Amino acid sequence: MKKRFTDKIIRALFSAEKPLNPNDIAKATGAKKTTELKPALNDLSRKGFINQSKGGWRLAGKDFFKGEVMRVFKAHGFIKNHESGEEFFVPGKKLIGSVPGDIVIARVTNRDRGENMSAGAEVVLVEEQSQRVLTGMIVSESGRLCILPDSFSGDAIIINSYSGFKPREGDKVSFSLRERGERHSEHTADITSIYGNASSARVCVSAYIDEKNIPVEFSKEAKDSAKTIADGGISESEIASRLDLRDEIIFTIDSADTKDIDDAISVEKTKTGYKLGVHIADVSHYVRKNSPLDLSALERGTSVYIADLVVPMLPKELSNGICSLNPKAERLAFSCLMELSNSGEITAFQFAKTVIKSRLQGVYSEINEILAGNGNVGAESISARYAEVADRLPLMQELAQKLKQNRKDRGAPFIETSETKIICDTDGKCVDVEKREGGVSENIIEEFMLAANNCAAKTAMDAGGSEASGFPFVYRIHEPPTVEKLEALKETLAVIGAEYTLKGRGASDLAGIIEKARGTEKAGVINTLVLRAMMKAKYSDEPLGHFGLVMKEYAHFTSPIRRYPDLIIHRILSDFVTNNDKAGVKKRFGKFVHEAGIKSSHAELRAVNAERDCEKFFMAEYMQERVGEEFDGIISGVTQTGFFVMLANTVEGRVSGESLGVCAADDNISLTEQLSGRRYALGDKVRVRCENANVAFGMIDFVVI
């Protein structure tokens, strides 16, 4: 009887604007008599959730909130407050069995958990149970098959119904919760599908995509629309209405396996400097606001790239077809046409609707060979394929170097991160892991895209975008790091013996740290530490500037095939370029840009997490064949219970504290073996042996040798 009314009482008091007397509560909860409520009221009062005053019963304090369970681990979880967006740490037993996606009523328990730590909270009740797909691995416990969930609990849960499926131990499955207990281990489950054996990274990725609710299939309306657009081609009337650049030397540069080509470039020398053209696929011409394609793109927010898999933002008829700037094909583009001085400063620019015809599909690695003077090496001359644009390549390099130097002169930090390239065979199995190396041509394209993005934001801000009555836009912002994060960085750098000068919060201070570390053994770790000290870039309708680039004006314009914010910006700039009507732009886009910025930031985070998490499945799959082998690596992270080691190819594994014996941790910077006195600190070189690789959990275990 007590349990029957406790949740109803909390709901009633949470929604009430004033204290409720027993009669009010009885009416709200469906109790026939107020005496039925007494056990529940006493229990909630004893727990400190409610208290009684002259006006009646009320929630104890003002720290109750409604939120969503975001992530759950073995011993804790996190809840996001719906109203404020703040995240709260919740100990495992205080989750009362809630799972990711559940909507809960919770209360704050501790706001003083130290620097860089979320405030504490506890779940009071589960208001709405999640309908998300849940996944896990079949395990055997005492001879009985159970499910070990991927996204919550370290305890296996009982299978209530197999639904006709015949899973084996080690299979990855999806399931729904049949019955819920107040602990995760008390839940029971019904199997809803089987993906395959969890020793396959590809199987684990499929389950991950489903559980994280990453949209894969397009609606019939969206697919039909994409096919109609692709089959329709480009009309002569549309070409006639645009600036015709088909005779210009325009070409693309991408990775060899790229199929969705957003951007093309053109460059020429002038008497006063350079002309630079950045020509972007005119996706907004095809994907109209509130169309099935647009609604689908908004839901996805971005394309997701996992090893050799792509979950695209747009159907392939657009992303790989009519919108992709394929070589020798007429394509509609939205071009940023810039004039630059001899020193690489932008002196004038304009945006124009254009039609282009790319001369060729350049490849980063091949152009890097040409620029390095190796273009004629081999049976087939690389240079011959680029003969039509040969004179533009050194000019591009010359201009990009000046743009990069200007960025350095502004004090922008050049952070080098270790990106991973996963190589799979025809069956989708990971056969190699490499560190992705950026070359000269990659830097050239980066600098040219930054210039166009800067011009896009300038257009909006010069038209009054920084004013409340001005030009609505979606900016890419990057705020300065907090004082607390910089203090933590200073302490860590001092402990690991790194040279640094950090006087203020300017980008040049961080740039100086990176430059001092360049070429040293600890450069990689120091780059990572500086990156972690910085705030995360995000989308906003407020032009707050970009700290890392040291730009007041910055937006994402150059990838509308795979990023929704770029598509929005194309739509807004197209409207402005066509009509030159600032008031009209505000009316048509004013309300939408704020919502789109928030959704796009969430989608970006979801994609980044997916790409990072799924890489671990493939790394573990690769290392399964190398258990017992020895490797040299660098300590890339330290926790209270061990440390992480990154190998030269970016594979990362964990060394547990148990394998080292009794250890003392020094604030996530170093560990010391108490018996031997050996110290392990961030950035130290170590030699390790691979002991285990678990694909299902994306975990690799090393031991120090």
Side-chain angles (χ1 to χ4, degrees), residues 85-154:
E86 183 179 4
E87 279 203 356
F88 293 85
F89 171 89
V90 184
K93 64 182 180 180
K94 298 294 185 181
L95 286 163
I96 61 169
S98 57
V99 301
D102 281 353
I103 306 302
V104 300
I105 293 177
R107 74 166 180 175
V108 180
T109 57
N110 181 10
R111 285 201 171 274
D112 186 21
R113 294 188 64 244
E115 291 180 5
N116 302 319
M117 297 182 72
S118 302
E122 64 179 322
V123 176
V124 179
L125 68 88
V126 177
E127 176 76 358
E128 182 182 330
Q129 294 183 1
S130 171
Q131 299 303 309
R132 290 184 190 173
V133 172
L134 297 171
T135 64
M137 186 173 69
I138 298 293
V139 296
S140 178
E141 298 218 339
S142 302
R144 180 178 185 177
L145 294 183
C146 300
I147 299 174
L148 186 61
D150 289 330
S151 64
F152 66 90
S153 179

Side-chain angles (χ1 to χ4, degrees), residues 49-67:
F49 289 160
I50 66 175
N51 55 36
Q52 190 175 24
S53 63
K54 290 181 180 180
W57 290 95
R58 69 174 73 203
L59 294 178
K62 298 180 180 180
D63 286 334
F64 286 77
F65 64 92
K66 183 177 286 191

Side-chain angles (χ1 to χ4, degrees), residues 65-81:
F65 64 92
K66 183 177 286 191
E68 180 179 351
V69 179
M70 304 302 293
R71 301 179 301 284
V72 176
F73 303 96
K74 185 175 181 179
H76 65 277
F78 290 89
I79 301 172
K80 177 178 283 189
N81 185 319

